[in-house]
């Protein structure tokens, strides 16, 4: 059996027997990325909804900024968070650098623009369809935004999952602010990069398989939720 085939077989074996190191890395990755996604969604979804229904000075500038930030290099986010949390930075006294909290902050900053921009577009499309009806009922902008958030909730699941996928796949920012410390801040993506460089292909492949499986399962779940919603609510 060639080296790659043997490494793949060992990776499957590590997953099937629940290798402690692999499980620890996966659980930390999920905790960091899910927490960042939750926080980012709580911030970005209201911003996206408000931007979609309200007309205010600077609205177009805000939309352009969010769209531009969607393509911001993750290493830049990592650098900014590093400067904020370093001992010389304004938040240095909290000792957050090289901790999971720092990684959550970096991932949150990375995906807020993504969720805000995509949700704004989705809710704006719904607003163009229902705005006259909501106005005729005397519904204010705040209630309209909340109504449209609820009405598009199943579609917004896809937006949130896009944010989670971006967070879970991140390497550069979490490497800078987390330090890739074994047992402390080592997540799937940084561990894959490190173990590949070390030649530890079984662990790298095992983590890669788990990461891809999680992405497929989440997207399948989102598709299933959307299909059920379409069949039930039309």
């Amino acid at each position: 059996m060639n080296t790659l085939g043997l490494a793949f077989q060992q990776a499957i074996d590590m997953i099937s027997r629940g290798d402690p190191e692999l499980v620890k890395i996966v659980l930390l990755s999920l905790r960091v990325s899910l927490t960042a996604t939750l926080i980012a969604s709580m911030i970005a979804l209201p911003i996206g909804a408000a931007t979609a229904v309200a007309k205010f000075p600077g609205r177009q500038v805000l939309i352009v900024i969010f769209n531009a930030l969607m393509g911001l290099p993750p290493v830049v986010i990592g650098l900014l968070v590093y400067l904020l949390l370093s001992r010389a930075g304004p938040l240095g006294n909290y000792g957050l650098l090289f901790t999971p909290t720092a990684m959550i902050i970096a991932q949150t900053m990375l995906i807020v623009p993504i969720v805000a921009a995509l949700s704004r577009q989705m809710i704006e499309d719904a607003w163009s369809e229902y705005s006259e009806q909501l106005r005729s009922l005397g519904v204010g902008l705040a209630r309209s935004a909340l109504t449209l958030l609820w009405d598009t909730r199943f579609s917004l699941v896809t937006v949130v999952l896009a944010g989670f996928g971006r967070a879970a796949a991140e390497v550069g920012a979490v490497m800078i602010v987390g330090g890739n410390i074994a047992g402390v801040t080592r997540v799937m993506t940084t561990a894959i990069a490190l173990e590949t460089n070390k030649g530890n292909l079984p662990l790298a492949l095992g983590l890669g398989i788990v990461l891809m499986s999680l992405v497929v399962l989440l997207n399948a779940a989102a598709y299933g939720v959307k299909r059920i919603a379409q069949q039930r609510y039309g």
Side-chain angles (χ1 to χ4, degrees), residues 64-77:
V64 170
I65 290 173
F66 276 131
N67 289 338
L69 289 178
M70 288 177 66
L72 186 66
V75 289
V76 175
I77 294 290

Side-chain angles (χ1 to χ4, degrees), residues 1-16:
M1 185 177 294
N2 59 39
T3 303
L4 184 58
L6 181 60
F8 186 80
Q9 185 181 52
Q10 291 174 340
I12 297 297
D13 180 63
M14 292 178 72
I15 296 171
S16 61

